Amino acid sequence: MLDGRTTLSKFLIDTLDREPCPAQAAGLSALLIDVAAAIKAISAVLTRGALGGQHGSAQSVNTHGEEQKKLDVVTNEIFVQQCEWDGLLAAMVSEEMEEVYAIPKVYPRGEYLLAFDPLDGSSNIDINGVVGSIFSVLRNTGEPQAQVGESAFLRPGREQVAAGYAIYGPSTMLVLSVGTGTHGFTLERDVGNFVLTHSNIRIPEETEEFAINVSNERFWEPPVRRYVQECKDGRTGCRQRDFNMRWIASMVAEVHRILMRGGVFMYPRDSKTSAMEGRLRLLYEANPMSFLVEQAGGHAITGRERILDVQPRRLHERVPVILGSKQEVERIGRYHGEYDRGEDKPFTSPLFGTRSLFLPDFTA
Ligand code: F6P
C-alpha cells in the first residue's frame, strides 16, 4: 500500500475484509472506523483550545482519585457515543469510568470489547502540550447475549486483536496495529480522512535516548537506577557513549517518539505506593502500547516479564512499564534478573557511596 495515497478505510478493508480474510476479524474494520471517528471529533474539540470553553477542572475525580478535567469527561463521552451504537461491541472500559460500560439495550451487542484512555497526558492540556487517546480491542469470548462483566476484560494483552493511539500534536495522527505491523495515518484535516503516511514502522534496535521521570529516582529499584546512572555517565562510563533524556509527561508522545526514532520509555516499579505497581494502567495504556511496540520490532516488559503476558486481575490495575528499542529493553530486563539473583546488589558505603559488587560490563 502506498504512503500518502491510502486512506484508513482502504487500508482496513484491504487488510481485514478481503480474501484471504481472517474470519475472526469480521466487523473489526467497521469498529476501527468508528474509533477513528471518535478521534477526529476529539481532535476538533482540542484544536479549539481555550476558545472551546472546555478547559479546566470538571470538579470531580476519576476512579484512581485523580482530578478530572472537563476534557477528560468530554472525550470519554465522545468515545462512548461514537462506538456504542454500531452493534460491534459487547462492552467498554475506560480510564474515566469505574465500572464496565454495558452497551445500552436499545443497541445490538457485538463480539468485541473496547478499552480506552480517551485523553492521555491530560495535564498537558493547560500548557497546550501534546496529548493523546489510547485504545485496545479484544474479542469477547463469553456468551454473545450475556451481560459482560469485568472478567471478560481480564485477558493478557497478547490476545488483543487491535490496538492504537491518536496523537494530537501539530498534526493529528492515528497509529494502529491489527497484528500485521504498526502503521501511522495522518489526519488530512480539510478532507477529514486519515491517510497512511508511515507504513510498517520499525523501531531501531539500539538507541541513545531514554525517558523517565527522574524526580522519582529515590523510589526506583536498583536495576533501573543502574541503567539510568550508566546512561548519565555517558562516554565516561561503561556504555562509552553519550545518552540524551526526554520527558514529555504524555505516554502517547513518548511512545510516538520511540516509534519514529527509537529510545526507551520507563515508568518502572517504584516504592511510591505500597503496592509498587508503577503508574500506568495495564488494560488501556500498557497493553495497547506494548502491542504497537512489539509489532514495530521493539520490546515491552515490566522489568521481569513481557507485558503482553501479564494476567490482569483488576480492571484498572497498574503495571510497571519499560518499552522501546529491543537491545536496551533486553539490557534493562537483564539488570532486573541479575539483581533478583543477587548477582549485582548495590551496597552503600559511608566511604565510597553506592557501589556495585561487579565491574561494569564493557562487552555487553
Ligand atoms: O496517565 C498517565 C500519564 O499521564 C502518562 O501519559 C505519562 O507518561 C505519565 O502519566 C506522566 O507521569 P508524571 O506525572 O509522573 O510525569
Side-chain angles (χ1 to χ4, degrees), residues 25-143:
L28 184 56
S29 53
L31 171 60
L32 293 172
I33 285 167
D34 282 341
V35 170
I39 287 166
K40 285 186 227 174
I42 293 171
S43 175
V45 170
L46 296 178
T47 305
R48 286 198 280 276
L51 296 174
Q54 306 282 11
H55 274 201
S57 169
Q59 309 294 339
S60 54
V61 291
N62 67 12
T63 178
H64 319 287
E66 299 159 347
E67 183 206 21
Q68 277 181 312
K69 309 252 180 214
K70 279 188 203 158
L71 279 170
D72 286 321
V73 178
V74 169
T75 55
N76 191 68
E77 276 294 296
I78 292 175
F79 255 91
V80 169
Q81 280 171 12
Q82 291 288 347
C83 301
E84 67 181 347
W85 64 277
D86 60 16
L88 297 164
L89 285 178
M92 297 186 226
V93 156
S94 156
E95 176 170 21
E96 305 304 331
M97 301 188 286
E98 187 156 3
E99 312 277 345
V100 170
Y101 180 86
I103 299 302
K105 291 221 164 59
V106 285
Y107 302 121
R109 291 228 178 112
E111 57 175 327
Y112 294 105
L113 303 168
L114 180 66
F116 59 93
D117 177 357
L119 196 60
D120 173 68
S122 59
S123 67
N124 278 0
I125 284 292
D126 300 337
I127 60 161
N128 203 15
V130 174
V131 290
S133 304
I134 312 173
F135 63 91
S136 156
V137 183
L138 286 165
R139 180 182 304 282
N140 180 29
T141 50
E143 284 297 308

Side-chain angles (χ1 to χ4, degrees), residues 95 120-121 213 216 247 249-251 265 267 279-281 285:
E95 176 170 21
D120 173 68
N213 182 346
N216 291 327
W247 189 248
S250 160
M251 188 191 198
F265 167 83
Y267 219 115
R279 168 167 182 145
L280 302 172
R281 264 62 64 146
E285 291 180 317

